[in-house]
Amino acid sequence: MKIKISILSLLMSAFLSISAQETNDSTDLIDSRVMYLDPLFEYPMAPQELSSFTEKCDWLADNFWNDLNIKKQDAVDQAKLNHAFNVYASTVQYANKEKVTASVDKLMKNLQKNPTLLYQMIKAAEDNIYGPNADFWIDELYARMLKSALVNKKFPKNKRAKYELQLKQLEHSLIGVTPNIFDFTRPNGEPAKYFPMSTPTIIIFGDPDCEDCRLGRLRMQANVEFNKAVADGKINVLFIIPDPEPGWEKKTADFPANWTVGASESVGDIYDIRDIPEVYVVGADGKIEAKHISTIQAAEKAVTLIK
């Protein structure tokens, strides 16, 4: 269980329905192990007259960063900025998409003349909606921020390569886009190539030594409807090992015969593979339908695509 700088649920309540004083009064009830920080700026509260949760989240998307001092060129406290971004992201993920797009575009435009804060904002976004310790991943939002930041010639040169790679991996790995073609090697040494096809496809980026991968495979094999669809050629399954170690061929010998199994040295450079297993579902139109889901969810999703 991760220890957070503050309790997100209390913050959400503060922004959406109760006063700042009520929030302060409630801190006596919170675990003493939690560290508290004064906010970087005063967080806004959605007006009481807004009736729906979505309306309040839309309003916060429009107004959350209003009191952030963007003109100050000195670095801010990164922990405080991380906290602010966590609250922002936790809220706007429930806002209407067009509101979120406009919000982040406005924020990134305003940061272009402050490269120090621009980099710090990208770091805050990375920690909160992309990195391994993030509470949730919002890939489209993060990719949009990266794209905006990297056009700025003053973005730190020593940090640029890392974020350019992240953007490259994300841009062709987002839901709704056509994934990249990639090369892989079959267990018998035969070269092969993946490309989107007219049959719904599950791509599992995994490792034969990974326990979660093994359990996920067994659970998929226990899904009768799914396995019949695979046997009938209505669903394709690929199990691809990124950065394989010697001997992977023998370790995949007991995989289902109707799965395509292989290994790729290069796929990690062009696909977003932050977790193992990392699972994608590609539809019959060749576009990504789902990612960051379990193998069971992928099997169920693939079955719905053929009905």
Side-chain angles (χ1 to χ4, degrees):
M1 180 178 176
K2 300 174 186 176
I3 300 176
K4 299 193 174 299
I5 294 176
S6 70
I7 301 299
L8 182 57
S9 60
L10 287 177
L11 285 167
M12 287 289 287
S13 297
F15 303 138
L16 298 179
S17 61
I18 64 176
S19 71
Q21 181 60 48
E22 287 171 328
T23 305
N24 291 335
D25 291 343
S26 69
T27 58
D28 293 339
L29 304 176
I30 301 174
D31 194 318
S32 61
R33 292 173 298 176
V34 178
M35 179 175 68
Y36 299 99
L37 297 173
D38 292 330
L40 184 62
F41 56 92
E42 185 175 352
Y43 299 161
M45 289 186 293
Q48 295 278 348
E49 57 267 24
L50 296 177
S51 58
S52 75
F53 181 73
T54 300
E55 284 180 317
K56 292 178 180 180
C57 290
D58 283 351
W59 186 93
L60 287 165
D62 286 338
N63 296 280
F64 186 83
W65 300 106
N66 288 355
D67 289 334
L68 173 64
N69 186 355
I70 290 176
K71 294 182 179 180
K72 184 180 179 181
Q73 297 292 318
D74 296 335
V76 301
D77 186 313
Q78 187 68 51
K80 292 182 178 182
L81 183 59
N82 282 10
H83 184 272
F85 196 93
N86 184 274
V87 175
Y88 170 73
S90 301
T91 303
V92 301
Q93 66 176 318
Y94 301 109
N96 286 303
K97 183 178 179 180
E98 61 272 18
K99 286 287 186 179
V100 181
T101 298
S103 172
V104 75
D105 286 352
K106 177 183 175 182
L107 173 65
M108 298 306 291
K109 181 180 179 180
N110 289 340
L111 290 172
Q112 291 300 319
K113 294 182 179 180
N114 188 339
T116 299
L117 188 54
L118 174 66
Y119 166 68
Q120 287 194 278
M121 188 66 72
I122 290 296
K123 184 68 174 68
E126 179 183 25
D127 291 345
N128 281 287
I129 60 173
Y130 177 84
N133 295 319
D135 291 326
F136 41 81
W137 289 338
I138 311 178
D139 294 350
E140 188 174 350
L141 179 61
Y142 186 58
R144 196 174 189 90
M145 292 182 69
L146 284 179
K147 193 170 184 178
S148 177
L150 290 170
V151 299
N152 191 318
K153 294 181 179 179
K154 293 183 179 180
F155 192 85
K157 291 183 179 180
N158 62 332
K159 307 293 185 182
R160 183 173 289 273
K162 168 187 174 181
Y163 291 112
E164 286 176 341
L165 177 58
Q166 289 180 358
L167 181 59
K168 176 184 175 183
Q169 292 166 332
L170 279 172
E171 281 192 312
H172 293 285
S173 302
L174 296 172
I175 292 175
V177 307
T178 301
N180 275 326
I181 295 170
F182 64 86
D183 296 314
F184 65 95
T185 303
R186 298 178 186 273
N188 63 3
E190 178 186 343
K193 189 183 295 289
Y194 164 75
F195 53 88
M197 54 200 82
S198 59
T199 304
T201 302
I202 295 174
I203 309 175
I204 305 169
F205 294 108
D207 184 331
D209 291 327
C210 161
E211 183 65 11
D212 286 341
C213 299
R214 186 185 70 82
L215 291 174
R217 175 165 54 89
L218 293 175
R219 287 168 182 153
M220 289 179 81
Q221 290 177 264
N223 185 320
V224 176
E225 186 178 13
F226 168 74
N227 278 286
K228 185 178 186 307
V230 174
D232 292 343
K234 296 179 179 179
I235 296 173
N236 294 328
V237 181
L238 278 73
F239 188 98
I240 303 297
I241 305 167
D243 301 319
E245 295 184 356
W248 67 268
E249 299 90 345
K250 292 182 179 179
K251 294 177 180 179
T252 58
D254 63 342
F255 278 42
N258 53 15
W259 286 23
T260 298
V261 178
S264 175
E265 299 280 358
S266 59
V267 71
D269 293 331
I270 58 175
Y271 269 69
D272 173 27
I273 306 173
R274 272 171 278 167
D275 203 5
I276 294 293
E278 181 71 83
V279 184
Y280 285 75
V281 178
V282 182
D285 61 355
K287 295 181 180 180
I288 297 171
E289 291 277 345
K291 63 183 289 196
H292 303 322
I293 59 176
S294 70
T295 53
I296 293 300
Q297 290 171 320
E300 292 171 348
K301 178 68 174 179
V303 168
T304 66
L305 295 177
I306 61 173
K307 290 184 175 179

